[in-house]
Amino acid sequence: MTTTTVTEQEEARLYDELRRVLEDVEEGEQRQKMLNHMIRQLKFAKWRKEQLRRFNPYRQDVRPVTLWIMLAIGALMPVVLFSIFIWVSLWVE
């Protein structure tokens, strides 16, 4: 799927950026800070890729009708909840 391709490209870009940063920055505290920052970014990219991998089978099986139903429910839910709130508040008075 295109999402995994995008995440793999992003991970490869982060590894390339890490390599360039390590070549550019001299030894010492600044290099350690940059290294820790890039390692955190790589861990987050890897975590996000694993999280998205769990939802791939579900997203592939979603039909357009199901998607439209989910969108309609999501759009109408605030209206329904607000109407219930108004009805209850009038009933309580």
Side-chain angles (χ1 to χ4, degrees), residues 8-60:
E8 289 172 358
Q9 288 175 351
E10 181 181 354
E11 190 173 349
R13 181 190 59 80
L14 287 171
Y15 276 114
D16 288 339
E17 188 176 336
L18 174 62
R19 183 180 44 79
R20 276 181 273 143
V21 165
L22 289 177
E23 290 173 355
D24 293 342
V25 178
E26 301 169 2
E27 291 289 332
E29 187 177 322
Q30 183 66 21
R31 181 178 181 150
Q32 189 64 32
K33 285 182 182 178
M34 293 299 289
L35 181 63
N36 288 338
H37 177 70
M38 295 302 292
I39 287 172
R40 274 185 275 140
Q41 282 186 332
L42 287 169
K43 284 182 180 178
F44 179 71
K46 182 179 178 184
W47 174 81
R48 186 176 59 224
K49 186 169 100 176
E50 290 173 4
Q51 295 298 319
L52 289 175
R53 190 175 292 144
R54 286 194 302 168
F55 293 108
N56 276 344
Y58 176 74
R59 287 190 306 193
Q60 289 174 352

